[in-house]
């Protein structure tokens, strides 16, 4: 029979009494959200220039520009 040793050390990243992520996590999240908003704006612009119609060619162009895959 094997026994499991437990540790009294806290788990990495877990801080008691703190529900907010750290500064770097917030900065990284803000960066990702900013990039997503920019991509959304550019895709909306592409659709608008195409008469607000989502065609196969527009979909291929979006995938080519942004590397998106379904």
């Amino acid at each position: 029979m094997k026994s499991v040793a437990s540790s009294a050390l806290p788990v990495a990243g877990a801080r008691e009494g703190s529900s907010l992520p750290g500064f770097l996590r917030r900065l990284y999240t803000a960066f990702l959200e900013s990039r997503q908003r920019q991509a959304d704006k550019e895709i909306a612009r592409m659709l608008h220039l195409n008469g607000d119609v989502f065609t196969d060619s527009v979909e291929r162009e979006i995938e080519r520009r942004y590397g998106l895959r379904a």
Side-chain angles (χ1 to χ4, degrees):
M1 178 189 222
K2 293 183 180 181
S3 64
V4 177
S6 67
S7 173
L9 298 175
V11 176
R15 288 183 269 170
E16 291 185 24
S18 176
S19 63
L20 295 176
F23 172 74
L24 292 178
R25 172 64 65 185
R26 290 191 310 254
L27 184 65
Y28 180 71
T29 301
F31 173 75
L32 290 180
E33 289 172 354
S34 172
R35 297 285 297 189
Q36 183 64 50
R37 281 191 305 274
Q38 182 64 32
D40 291 345
K41 286 179 186 178
E42 291 178 23
I43 290 169
R45 187 182 126 273
M46 288 175 62
L47 286 173
H48 180 71
L49 293 174
N50 194 48
D52 293 323
V53 178
F54 190 75
T55 62
D56 287 341
S57 62
V58 171
E59 182 179 13
R60 282 191 297 272
E61 181 65 16
I62 291 168
E63 288 178 354
R64 185 186 70 76
R65 286 188 185 190
Y66 303 105
L68 303 175
R69 300 282 184 247

